[in-house]
Every structure is written in C-alpha cells, then in structure tokens.
Amino acid sequence: MSRKRWLALIAALMLVVAAVGVNVATSQAGADLDRMFGSEHGWAERVIEQGDDFGNSIVVLELNGVIQDTGDAVSIFDAQGYRHQAFLSQIEHAAKDSSVQGLIIRVNTPGGGVVESAEIHEKIVEVQEEYNKPVYISMGSMAASGGYYIAAPADKIVASPQTITGSLGVIMESINIAELAENYGIKFNTIKSGEYKDIMSATREMTEGDRAILQSLIDESYDEFVRIISEGRNMSENEVRQLADGRIYTGNQALEIDLVDELGSLDDTIAMMREDLGANYSVIKYEADTGLYSLFSMTAAKMLSSNNELASIEQLITERRAPTLKYLYTE
C-alpha cells in the first residue's frame, strides 16, 4: 500500500481502538443525545404511503443483518446495524398502538442466534394472539434459517422469486489451532473444574464425549425449529424434517413446497394486506432516528465502510467470538 494509505489505516485503527474503549460511555451519551435531539423511542415514524383512512395505518418494520443481541451497545461504526432490543420494542409498540391495524416485517437476514430468533417469534405470536393484528412477512434477498424461524408464524409470507430462504436447521462452529500452535512451540495450560469445562476449546481436539454433548444441544434446538415450522405452516413434523436438512431454496422453490404463500415485493405485500383488511390504510415505517448521535454514528460508519481492511479490523475487535447455537445460514 502507498504511504498515504498506510497513514489513513493507522489513523482509522486508532479511532477504532478509542471507540471500543469508550463504547459503553458513548452508548449512554448517545441515548441521552438522541432523547434530546431525536424521537422518544430511538426511532422515527415516517409515512411512506398515504391512504384514505388518516386515523389508522399499517406499520412496516425492517430486519436487516444477523439476528444477535449486542445489548444495543453497538459501536459508533455500526449505527445502521441490527439492534435486537430496539427491534423487539418496535414490534411491541406497533402491537399496543390502537391505530395500527397490521404489521409487515421486511426480512433481510441469514439468521442468527437461537435465543434472539425465539424472542422475535414470541413477539410476533403476541401481536397475533393478544392484539388480534395480522403479521405479514416480506422476504428480501435473503430470509434464511433464523430469518425463516421468525417468519413461520406469520399470517402470510411473501417472497421474491429470487429470495434465498430455507437453511432450516441449527449450527455451532469453532476452530482448532492446537496443531498450528504446536508447530510454533506454543503450549496451553488449562486448569478446569470438570472434564467438559473447556468444551469446544480452540486449543485441544474435540473428544467423542464433547461431540455427544454438543449434538444433543443441536438436536434439541432443531426439534424446536421443526415444531415452530410445523405449527406455523400447518405441516406434519415429518414433512418439515424432509425439507429441513439445511439446504437453501429460492422463493420460487419455497412456494412450490409451501414454505411461502405468495411471490411479490414489499409493495405487493402492502397491497395484499390492504386488500385483506378491506381498507386503504396509510403505511408507516419505523426507521432509524436521525438524532445528533445517530448522525455522527452514520458518518463514522460511512468513513469506515470505504476501507475493507478497516471494516475487517473493527469487526474482529467488536464481534463476539464464543461458539453459540445459531439458526444461521453460513455461506
């Protein structure tokens, strides 16, 4: 790289390190600033389509990115990323708002954590059962694994013909560097209270006992995934298991095997809900606030995203590395 590029890389890396160090403080400060200069919820409500009924509306929520709970204490470089607690709050807000007649969730995700996916699923069921409001799913370019898990209970699932969905199942991954470390003369000392305390450690080979324990966790989560799809799509569990072997499907293929109900875009989904509700309701979108801190965060994120090396460094510093159960499509 050129000298100028190296200087830019060093300067940005220093900014990343500083941001990580003050992340907790800035997150709180950001919340305070957004309360001062943004909306009371942390997001804004914007009318994207005006209808004939000015008193009632359909709400559109967007789920973009990996479904994982970072406590919403994201770095200043990730202002536009998925925020789990905020998303749950948006669903709850739409459910309790008496003027909201229906909810559409636009899904663009490869999936994510088992727990987080289950929490979204529970919120969607709550909207339907406690508030008697329809929930439609509009699939974007990808709605795989956990993205399908949250879609399963929806009253209607609409996908693009080219949507990548499926990947129905559970995965847990880790790496093993024992041989690499040995080649460099590196030794690890582990003191533990029980045989399996360091299960999935990167510094030792996995034993048959380890594998049996982990497979039991995978099987339990997989059984729950199958149950969710079976109930949501009115299929037998045997039918679901034949489809849920981890393979991916296009929107066209998913329609043929009854994993989705219709093919269409977000606009088509809005039109379907209006028709099903029998009224031309206005359409409101909950979107990221543009408070002072949010504007600063978006600027920092834009600066970082222009350099792939810096983006990779920031991701390595901030993302959680511990193995976890995931409903996730890994490319």
Side-chain angles (χ1 to χ4, degrees), residues 46-303:
R46 181 170 65 90
V47 177
I48 58 175
E49 286 190 27
Q50 190 68 59
D52 300 331
D53 189 329
F54 296 99
N56 296 299
S57 62
I58 294 169
V59 164
V60 173
L61 304 182
E62 290 190 340
L63 194 166
N64 296 309
V66 177
I67 304 171
Q68 63 178 0
D69 188 358
T70 60
D72 284 2
V74 294
S75 78
I76 60 173
F77 302 103
D78 196 27
Q80 296 298 292
Y82 174 71
R83 296 187 176 187
H84 184 63
Q85 296 303 324
F87 186 72
L88 295 178
S89 180
Q90 289 178 346
I91 297 176
E92 184 173 355
H93 182 75
K96 293 181 177 179
D97 188 340
S98 59
S99 69
V100 175
Q101 302 303 306
L103 177 63
I104 296 173
I105 302 179
R106 177 68 168 176
V107 178
N108 275 294
T109 178
V114 166
V115 172
E116 293 93 331
S117 300
E119 288 176 340
I120 297 174
H121 174 274
E122 290 170 5
K123 284 291 184 183
I124 291 174
V125 172
E126 181 181 317
V127 173
Q128 296 167 311
E129 295 183 352
E130 293 190 24
Y131 296 92
N132 197 31
K133 297 180 180 182
V135 178
Y136 287 10
I137 297 293
S138 170
M139 293 182 169
S141 59
M142 179 175 290
S145 205
Y148 191 84
Y149 184 101
I150 69 171
D155 296 282
K156 184 170 289 186
I157 302 176
V158 183
S160 163
Q162 291 79 36
T163 294
I164 295 299
T165 187
S167 188
L168 310 176
V170 193
I171 191 169
M172 178 183 280
E173 297 176 304
S174 71
I175 60 172
N176 186 284
I177 61 170
E179 290 187 15
L180 177 64
E182 185 177 352
N183 291 338
Y184 285 91
I186 300 172
K187 296 182 179 180
F188 300 94
N189 297 312
T190 302
I191 302 170
K192 54 187 179 178
S193 58
E195 179 181 357
Y196 299 109
K197 183 58 180 172
D198 61 343
I199 196 168
M200 288 194 82
S201 169
T203 62
R204 69 169 177 83
E205 293 294 330
M206 182 177 292
T207 68
E208 290 301 317
D210 293 341
R211 188 172 297 277
I213 291 172
L214 296 171
Q215 188 62 54
S216 71
L217 301 180
I218 293 289
D219 292 344
E220 183 176 311
S221 294
Y222 177 72
D223 289 344
E224 178 64 7
F225 202 158
V226 169
R227 183 187 68 81
I228 291 298
I229 299 174
S230 175
E231 293 180 357
R233 300 303 297 173
N234 195 27
M235 295 179 176
S236 71
E237 290 197 0
N238 285 335
E239 289 176 312
V240 175
R241 290 179 189 277
Q242 290 178 3
L243 302 175
D245 59 2
R247 75 183 68 189
I248 57 175
Y249 303 99
T250 66
N252 276 322
Q253 292 171 336
L255 180 65
E256 292 176 0
I257 57 178
D258 201 31
L259 288 178
V260 306
D261 300 298
E262 304 279 355
L263 296 178
S265 63
L266 175 59
D267 288 340
D268 294 327
T269 308
I270 292 171
M272 291 176 196
M273 179 167 279
R274 280 172 163 171
E275 182 178 353
D276 293 342
L277 290 173
N280 187 33
Y281 292 127
S282 296
V283 181
I284 294 175
K285 183 178 178 182
Y286 294 174
E287 56 187 20
D289 200 349
T290 52
L292 182 60
Y293 177 75
S294 299
L295 286 172
F296 172 71
S297 299
M298 286 187 285
T299 301
K302 185 174 181 180
M303 290 173 57

